């Protein structure tokens, strides 16, 4: 029997970390081949091509690493892979997966996974996560869904998932939207058709473009926003209160900055959408829209930053930025 061909690329993270000395702590060391060799039953579901792409803790991943991983995944698909699995640290997984999702144009599944416990810890979750991720990437029902994150036998769409607990194995969640499916007894089961996907063809990004993410908090006056603008950032995403609100002072600052650089407002609550027509106080969504800010809708702040980066780094005109964020205000499937 011919098994689906799955390419597994390892980028680092807890899933490949071992510790010789408890004082020093766990460090990324295992190769992709070592990771897949430790998974019982893997050879019975897929033909695996394993490649160690990086051995980094995920806080040290950057945009170039993600784009290089994307190029590797594309080359694997061109060489005949039926699906791709990337393993990495969970700390930045919600961001890398979404950046990949914005750029992944193939129907073949691209699945990102990791682990919360190192391979030497009791109850290590890495092998089970790799098995579930490969099962997902190897199944034709996963095609056309963009990038998914598989952890703890749960399948999440990259656009909604976030790490919601610092140490728990059950850390990933997709607030409001819920998981897309689960891997049950080795088979992915999807609970719904893929949600509407933002599809745009992006040119090669200019890696020198920088977009800042700034969280507003009690007593902020806009000093931080001005400092960021002065530091030469090309755009700012504000992780704002509630439905997309800031203080009156910050609102004045946004109005002054908006003609110079795009400012996108997202909600810092971790769940839900920004509003458009509920509140009218200074610093509210209606007021900030009048002052020239954009709103990210259902897109979380960290993900809004990645989208704004991609738009600015590919020299998208401001009208395209506005249209891009408009998409995320209606993510239901009614066209
Ligand atoms: N808990 C993280 C992980 O799951 C720590 C380090 C990292 O993100 O690489 O891998």
């Amino acid at each position: 029997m011919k098994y689906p061909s799955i390419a597994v690329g390892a980028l680092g993270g807890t899933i490949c970390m071992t510790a010789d000395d408890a004082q020093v702590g766990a460090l990324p060391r295992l190769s992709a081949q070592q990771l897949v060799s430790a998974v019982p039953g893997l050879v019975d579901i897929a033909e695996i091509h394993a490649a160690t792409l990086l051995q980094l803790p995920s806080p040290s991943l950057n945009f170039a690493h993600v784009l290089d991983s994307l190029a590797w995944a594309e080359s694997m698909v061109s060489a005949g892979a039926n699906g791709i699995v990337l393993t990495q640290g969970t700390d930045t997984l919600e961001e890398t997966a979404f950046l990949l999702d914005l750029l992944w144009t193939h129907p073949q599944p691209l699945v990102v996974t990791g682990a919360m416990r190192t391979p030497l810890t009791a109850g290590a979750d890495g092998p089970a996560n790799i098995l579930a991720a490969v099962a997902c990437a190897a199944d034709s029902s996963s095609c056309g869904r963009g990038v998914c994150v598989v952890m703890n036998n749960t399948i999440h769409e990259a656009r909604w998932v976030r790490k919601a607990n610092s140490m728990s194995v059950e850390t990933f969640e997709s607030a409001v939207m819920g998981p897309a499916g689960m891997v049950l007894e080795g088979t992915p089961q999807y609970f719904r058709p893929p949600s509407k996907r933002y599809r745009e063809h992006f040119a090669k990004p200019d890696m020198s473009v920088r977009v800042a993410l700034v969280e507003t908090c009690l007593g902020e006056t806009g000093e931080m926003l001005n400092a960021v603008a002065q530091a030469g950032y090309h755009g700012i995403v504000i992780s704002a209160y509630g439905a997309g609100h800031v203080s009156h002072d910050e609102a004045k600052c946004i109005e002054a900055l908006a003609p110079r650089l795009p400012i996108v407002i997202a909600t810092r609550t971790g769940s839900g959408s920004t509003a458009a027509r509920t509140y009218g106080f200074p610093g509210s969504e209606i007021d900030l829209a009048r002052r020239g800010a954009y709103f990210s809708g259902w897109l979380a702040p960290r993900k809004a930053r990645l989208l704004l980066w991609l738009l600015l780094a590919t020299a998208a005109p401001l009208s395209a930025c506005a249209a891009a964020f408009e998409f995320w205000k209606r993510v239901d499937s009614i066209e």
Side-chain angles (χ1 to χ4, degrees), residues 219-304:
E220 262 303 324
T221 56
E223 249 174 275
M224 183 76 115
L225 290 175
N226 282 327
V228 166
Q230 266 160 29
Y233 282 86
H234 301 88
I236 303 176
V237 172
I238 302 177
S239 183
Y241 300 119
H245 306 151
V246 297
S247 69
H248 188 187
D249 287 340
E250 284 174 299
K252 287 189 270 187
C253 174
I254 288 168
E255 184 170 7
L257 293 176
R260 281 170 40 207
L261 76 175
I263 298 186
V264 177
I265 310 289
T267 175
R268 69 174 201 168
T269 59
S271 177
S273 173
T274 53
R277 51 175 181 271
T278 301
Y279 294 102
F281 59 82
S284 69
E285 74 278 7
I286 292 175
D287 178 57
L288 292 179
R290 254 192 237 118
R291 294 182 199 255
Y294 301 108
F295 287 80
S296 74
W298 292 91
L299 203 55
R302 286 168 213 151
K303 297 187 199 264

Side-chain angles (χ1 to χ4, degrees), residues 11-17 26 28 56-61 88-93 114-118 125 151 163 165-168 171-172:
L11 306 183
T14 297
I15 195 165
C16 77
M17 291 195 194
L56 287 176
S58 80
S60 291
L61 292 175
Q88 68 153 87
T90 56
D91 283 357
T92 58
L93 198 150
M116 291 301 287
R117 297 184 183 137
T118 71
D125 50 334
M151 292 282 293
K163 186 174 183 177
N165 185 293
S166 59
M167 293 295 274
S168 166
T171 179
F172 283 92

Side-chain angles (χ1 to χ4, degrees), residues 52 129-130 153 173 177 233:
T52 308
N129 286 342
I130 292 176
N153 280 326
E173 66 172 36
M177 310 299 168
Y233 282 86

